[in-house]
Amino acid sequence: MSHAANNSASKGLVVKQAGPLTLIQDTGRFGVGHLGVTQGGAADWISFRWANWLLGNAPNSAALEIVMGGGLSFESESEVRLALTGADLDAQLDGKPLAPNSSFKLLPGQRLVFRQPRQGLRAYLAFPGGLNAPEVLGSRACTAREQLGGLHEDGKPLKAGDRLTWKGTAPAVRRIAEGQGPQMPVSGCRLPIVLGSQVAAFSGRSLFQAFNQPWSVDNRADRMGVRLTGPALHGALTGIISEGIPLGAVQIPPDGQPIVLMNDRQTIGGYPRLGAITPIACATLAQCLPGTQVWLTPVSASQAQEDYRKQLTVWR
């Protein structure tokens, strides 16, 4: 036991400069919504799963979600193999570019830097066996509003001087097959939506506009929700009795501009909803930079479930 502890103490990755938002995430908290505690977890869960797959980790192993990059830099204290997936944030190892969606070796004293988005918004950095972090309500995920999770159990992003350690040792090298890994969205991408019970309350004109023209991703977007801008949608309902909100719920507030609710959403809400975009669509939207155009495309619940199950099979 003491040998394992000493071994863990001898390895680490030190934050030299903090970026805009780097959070420890896993798949999130479930079964706690009745306590008012949100789901949290990796916003682009597909890229997150690929990062852990590359290292042979358990699917729920804690990793880093890196937003924008913004000069985030680490220095390694030991040799370690890490995996990087998701957005291309112009990551560099000692000044040499790193390819997304692959694993790489980091040697003692080497610097890993994330600069700025070239494609996508969120990168995922996985560690052998997963990051060490306290577990709160069954998860290590950071949620800032609730001050849960993270290195210091306060839900806050990494800061300069933080030291990351991990659970495992050198993993076997895995590679993602050509064309199989996470794809970053392009303008004009489609977000499948399962329509909800309140959809009939919207006017015919609003429903036509909702699904037959593109929406623009607004710069008012975070882990709680993403606002879409376009023509104002209107209906017979201006408010409803507050009810539980699922991942991807598309709320229509009084200004008629949709808000897609994401991982750190509130647990209940009283705005009418068009429905909910699918989990795969949530991963896509989490990677959309402001200004990206998206289309809401209705799908049946059974089709959404089939697509979700198909996505899960790629990691078997």
Side-chain angles (χ1 to χ4, degrees):
M1 187 76 171
S2 60
H3 175 74
N6 290 338
N7 186 42
S8 176
S10 68
K11 59 187 182 183
L13 198 65
V14 178
V15 180
K16 305 305 283 187
Q17 181 180 325
L21 187 65
T22 305
L23 301 170
I24 292 176
Q25 295 293 353
D26 54 21
T27 54
R29 293 180 178 84
F30 295 92
V32 289
H34 64 292
L35 303 175
V37 176
T38 196
Q39 170 188 335
D44 177 2
W45 61 276
I46 295 175
S47 293
F48 168 83
R49 284 284 297 264
W50 275 117
N52 277 318
W53 180 90
L54 279 166
L55 298 182
N57 290 346
N60 193 33
S61 301
L64 293 183
E65 179 178 276
I66 300 164
V67 181
M68 301 291 284
L72 171 71
S73 66
F74 301 96
E75 187 171 301
S76 180
E77 297 177 332
S78 59
E79 182 177 320
V80 61
R81 179 167 288 278
L82 307 179
L84 177 64
T85 62
D88 181 351
L89 302 183
D90 195 12
Q92 299 187 357
L93 180 57
D94 281 355
K96 295 179 180 175
L98 279 173
N101 302 324
S102 61
S103 68
F104 62 95
K105 189 180 287 186
L106 199 58
L107 300 174
Q110 286 193 304
R111 280 277 177 119
L112 174 61
V113 179
F114 294 84
R115 293 159 41 120
Q116 59 190 7
R118 297 200 295 195
Q119 193 179 23
L121 184 62
R122 292 176 164 90
Y124 291 86
L125 189 65
F127 296 74
L131 281 170
N132 287 316
E135 194 172 286
V136 184
L137 295 174
S139 170
R140 296 174 173 83
C142 280
T143 51
R145 186 183 70 245
E146 292 158 1
Q147 299 178 7
L148 291 178
L151 278 185
H152 309 292
E153 300 184 70
D154 55 7
K156 290 184 178 176
L158 294 186
K159 62 183 187 299
D162 280 344
R163 186 169 176 274
L164 301 169
T165 61
W166 47 91
K167 302 173 184 299
T169 53
V173 178
R174 283 180 165 182
R175 290 182 176 85
I176 298 174
E178 188 73 29
Q180 195 181 30
Q183 304 296 314
M184 293 301 99
V186 295
S187 215
C189 63
R190 297 191 174 271
L191 303 177
I193 176 173
V194 177
L195 302 183
S197 60
Q198 292 139 25
V199 73
F202 292 92
S203 70
R205 177 176 175 79
S206 286
L207 290 177
F208 183 85
Q209 290 173 323
F211 307 124
N212 289 279
Q213 53 104 62
W215 295 90
S216 184
V217 174
D218 195 69
N219 57 11
R220 290 168 290 177
D222 56 22
R223 286 182 47 85
M224 283 186 65
V226 178
R227 185 177 285 265
L228 304 179
T229 56
L233 303 181
H234 297 293
L237 297 174
T238 53
I240 58 172
I241 296 172
S242 290
E243 58 184 19
I245 298 176
L247 178 67
V250 182
Q251 282 191 337
I252 310 297
D255 68 1
Q257 302 292 279
I259 301 172
V260 184
L261 295 168
M262 303 293 277
N263 297 65
D264 289 3
R265 65 196 181 277
Q266 66 273 31
T267 54
I268 61 171
Y271 291 137
R273 304 199 298 255
L274 282 178
I277 66 170
T278 68
I280 293 173
C282 287
T284 300
L285 185 57
Q287 293 291 6
C288 288
L289 289 158
T292 303
Q293 289 197 324
V294 298
W295 294 75
L296 296 173
T297 307
V299 295
S300 66
S302 58
Q303 182 64 54
Q305 290 165 350
E306 184 180 328
D307 293 343
Y308 182 68
R309 285 192 292 265
K310 185 177 177 183
Q311 177 62 55
L312 294 178
T313 62
V314 303
W315 296 299
R316 285 181 184 165

